Amino acid sequence: MDSTSLGLPSSSVALQAAEFYTDLNMRRSFQSAILPFKPDVVLFLGDHFDGGPYLSDEEWQESLFRFKHIFSLNEQRSKPHVPIYYLSGNHDIGYSAFFSVHPEVLGRYEKEFGSRNYQFSAGKVDFVVIDAQTLDAGAKKSKERSSSWEFVKSLSPGNASHPKVLLTHIPLYRPDNTPCGPYRSSPIINQRVSYAALDQGITYQNYLTKETSDLLLSLLKPVLVLSGHDHDQCTVVHSTPFGPVTEHTLGTISWQQGNLYPSFMLLSAGPKLSPNSTDMKPEVVTNLCFLPKQTHIYIWYICQFALTILLLVFWPTNGLGSLPCMNTFIGFMRSVGAELFSRTKEKNDEDDGEYEMVFDAEGSMHLVKKAVAKAPSASSDSRAIGRGSVVARAAAGKHQLEPDSSILVEMGSEMTSEDGAKLARTSKSKVRKVLQRLFRVIQSIVVIAALNVPLYMMLLFKDWIDH
C-alpha cells in the first residue's frame, strides 16, 4: 500500500495505520507460515508495490524499504541465504502505454530487482520468467516487446531436456466465463483490453490475448503455468497440441487487496522414480495454502470491544441478583429448597413462649409456661387508645372542634414544599447515580487497558522489529 491505494495523502494517519497493519500482517504471514517450510527458493509473481509506476523516486525507495522489511530481505546476512526471484507486474512498471513514455520506471525496477526476462533452474526444472506487460504491447515495433519475444524464442524446447514452468504476471487467455475451480472467492472477470490512442500501447488488460497465449505455449511447451494479477485464486487447464497444461493464478498474500482469503502456494519440483521402471521422471506438485482471514479477526475484536463496553455500562451494581428474571429464578430455587429440606412436622405456635422454674414442697424443679396476657380487643364504640397507664377515650362528636382554615393552609403549603424537596433530592440522586456509573465504567476501562495494552504492544511489535 502507498499514497495511491486509498486516495489519501501520505501524511494521513488513516493511511499510515492501514500501511502499518497491512505490512505487519504480511510480515507475520511470511515468517509464521512460509519460512517454517524452509523453502529452497522464493518466487514473487509481481505487483510488489501498488502505485509503483506513479511514485516519485523518494516514495518508491520508501516502498522498497518496506517491501524488504516485510519479507525479511534485510535479514539475509544473519540467516541462511534463500534465493529469491522476482517477476515484474503492472503495478511495478505499468503497461506499455506508460513505460514507453516513462522509460525511467523500467530502469529503477531493473536496478533493484534485475532483468525482467530470465530463466533459472531448481529441482531439475527450468523456470522461465516473462515480462507479460510487453508481450501485447500494441506498438508492434516496440523495443521492449521485441526483446521479450527474442528471449522466448531463444528458449527452444530442444535446447534443454528439463521441463519448464512458465511464470507470467498476466494470466494466459481463457474464454469468457471460464470456471476457476473451487477456490475462487469472487466472480469471474472476463477479458478486458484497453488501448491508448495513436497506437501508443495498452493501458490495461487482465488476460493475454489468445494469439500471444498460444504462441507462448507452443514455443515453451511448459508443464505448468503460474500467474498473478487477478488477486484471486483461479485454476484452468489449457488444451494444446502436446497435451493439457494447467495454469494456477495465485491470489494475493495481502488482506487489503480485495481478497478476504489471502493465500500462497507451495511448489515441489524434482525427480520422481517411476513405479514400473528405473527411469527418473521429473515431477511438479503444487499445493494452495490459505492464510487466516484477518478481516474476520478484526471484526471479532470490534464485537468483543463493544460487548465489553455494554457490560460495563449495564451490568447491575449488586450483581445478577438485581435483575428481575434472576430474582424470580432465585425465589423459585429457594422455594424448591424449602420444600425439599423442610421438616415433616410443622412447628406449633403454642410451643413458643417463656418458661419459669417452679420448686415444689419436695424440692423438685419443674418448668412451667408463663401465662401470656392477651391484648384486649378494641371496642368499636369506645376506640380507646392506651399510652402508659392512662387510657384516653375519643370525645363525642358534638364536642369535636372544627378545624381552623388557617391551619389547613399552612399544612398544605408545608406539604407542597416537602414534595418539591423530595423531587429535587430524587433528581440529584439520579444524576449522582449516573455520574457514579460513568466513573465506574471509566475506571474499569483504565484497569482493562493497563492490563492489555502492554501485552498487545509487545505482541504487536514482536515480529516487526529486526532481530
Side-chain angles (χ1 to χ4, degrees):
M1 298 187 67
D2 50 47
S3 58
T4 66
S5 301
L6 301 176
L8 298 174
S10 302
S11 58
S12 172
V13 176
L15 176 62
Q16 293 177 0
E19 289 179 353
F20 173 78
Y21 280 98
T22 302
D23 294 356
L24 178 65
N25 177 261
M26 288 189 289
R27 179 175 170 85
R28 284 185 170 178
S29 298
F30 187 73
Q31 291 189 343
S32 303
I34 298 176
L35 290 184
F37 285 105
K38 297 180 180 180
D40 300 304
V41 173
V42 176
L43 307 177
F44 289 95
L45 296 182
D47 284 352
H48 318 320
F49 310 121
D50 193 0
Y54 310 103
L55 298 177
S56 64
D57 290 340
E58 182 180 356
E59 292 175 328
W60 196 86
Q61 289 295 332
E62 180 185 356
S63 296
L64 176 64
F65 175 81
R66 288 168 48 206
F67 177 80
K68 290 182 177 181
H69 179 72
I70 290 169
F71 298 103
S72 307
L73 303 183
N74 295 327
E75 304 172 23
Q76 292 289 342
R77 291 173 296 179
S78 59
K79 294 184 178 180
H81 180 70
V82 178
I84 299 178
Y85 297 95
Y86 305 95
L87 177 61
S88 62
N90 60 295
H91 284 271
D92 301 319
I93 62 174
Y95 292 99
S96 57
F98 184 84
F99 58 68
S100 61
V101 181
H102 301 279
E104 65 273 8
V105 300
L106 299 180
R108 69 183 181 185
Y109 176 87
E110 290 181 338
K111 180 180 179 181
E112 184 61 39
F113 297 102
S115 176
R116 293 173 286 112
N117 298 286
Y118 61 97
Q119 178 185 6
F120 67 93
S121 298
K124 295 188 177 181
V125 175
D126 294 335
F127 291 83
V128 180
V129 179
I130 299 296
D131 180 8
Q133 288 73 232
T134 60
L135 298 179
D136 288 322
K140 300 299 182 181
K141 296 182 181 180
S142 169
K143 180 181 67 174
E144 290 78 15
R145 182 177 186 274
S146 299
S147 61
S148 295
W149 280 112
E150 288 176 2
F151 170 76
V152 172
K153 293 175 181 179
S154 67
L155 301 176
S156 173
N159 294 342
S161 59
H162 294 169
K164 291 183 174 59
V165 174
L166 174 61
L167 305 179
T168 168
H169 177 70
I170 301 177
L172 302 184
Y173 174 79
R174 63 200 62 170
D176 290 350
N177 301 317
T178 299
C180 276
Y183 301 115
R184 182 82 179 187
S185 60
S186 62
I188 304 298
I189 301 176
N190 293 327
Q191 174 69 298
R192 294 201 306 267
V193 182
S194 301
Y195 293 91
L198 303 176
D199 197 23
Q200 293 297 316
I202 291 177
T203 58
Y204 178 80
Q205 68 177 146
N206 53 343
Y207 303 135
L208 296 177
T209 61
K210 188 176 188 309
E211 176 186 2
T212 299
S213 301
D214 292 342
L215 186 57
L216 277 176
L217 292 175
S218 62
L219 291 176
L220 297 177
K221 292 182 171 58
V223 297
L224 179 69
V225 178
L226 298 179
S227 57
H229 185 58
D230 199 14
H231 294 200
D232 203 348
Q233 298 74 227
C234 185
T235 299
V236 297
V237 178
H238 302 283
S239 297
T240 65
F242 55 90
V245 177
T246 301
E247 177 184 2
H248 293 297
T249 300
L250 274 65
T252 175
I253 194 177
S254 172
W255 68 284
Q256 278 276 25
Q257 296 298 328
N259 190 349
L260 297 178
Y261 305 91
S263 63
F264 65 97
M265 176 169 281
L266 295 177
L267 185 146
S268 298
K272 179 184 178 183
L273 183 62
S274 176
N276 298 327
S277 87
T278 58
D279 296 335
M280 302 295 287
K281 294 185 178 181
E283 180 190 35
V284 177
V285 180
T286 59
N287 187 10
L288 183 63
C289 304
F290 287 94
L291 294 167
K293 305 173 186 62
Q294 190 63 39
T295 304
H296 296 180
I297 295 175
Y298 285 146
I299 292 175
W300 178 238
Y301 285 168
I302 294 174
C303 293
Q304 286 183 322
F305 177 76
L307 180 61
T308 301
I309 297 299
L310 290 176
L311 287 176
L312 291 176
V313 172
F314 295 104
W315 190 265
T317 307
N318 299 327
L320 293 175
S322 60
L323 296 176
C325 58
M326 292 305 299
N327 286 334
T328 305
F329 178 74
I330 293 173
F332 172 75
M333 295 302 296
R334 285 178 178 175
S335 63
V336 172
E339 289 291 335
L340 293 177
F341 299 102
S342 63
R343 298 178 180 178
T344 56
K345 180 181 178 180
E346 294 184 358
K347 188 175 181 180
N348 189 0
D349 292 340
E350 296 181 356
D351 294 338
D352 295 335
E354 297 181 359
Y355 293 83
E356 61 179 350
M357 294 182 295
V358 177
F359 295 89
D360 56 9
E362 298 178 355
S364 300
M365 183 188 70
H366 302 277
L367 291 176
V368 180
K369 186 177 181 180
K370 288 183 178 180
V372 180
K374 294 185 178 180
S377 59
S379 174
S380 60
D381 297 333
S382 61
R383 289 179 296 177
I385 303 174
R387 183 175 182 182
S389 59
V390 179
V391 177
R393 297 183 181 274
K398 60 182 180 180
H399 298 293
Q400 292 180 356
L401 298 177
E402 294 294 331
D404 191 358
S405 60
S406 62
I407 298 177
L408 292 176
V409 172
E410 291 180 1
M411 292 177 63
S413 62
E414 290 178 1
M415 291 294 294
T416 303
S417 62
E418 289 180 0
D419 292 342
K422 289 181 179 179
L423 292 175
R425 286 195 297 270
T426 303
S427 61
K428 290 182 179 179
S429 177
K430 290 182 178 180
V431 173
R432 187 180 297 107
K433 288 182 179 180
V434 171
L435 294 178
Q436 289 176 352
R437 176 57 63 92
L438 182 61
F439 177 76
R440 194 189 74 173
V441 170
I442 296 176
Q443 188 180 31
S444 301
I445 292 177
V446 170
V447 172
I448 294 174
L451 294 174
N452 287 275
V453 169
L455 179 63
Y456 173 74
M457 298 301 293
M458 181 184 67
L459 296 176
L460 190 68
F461 292 99
K462 178 177 68 70
D463 298 328
W464 186 246
I465 302 175
D466 287 329
H467 299 289

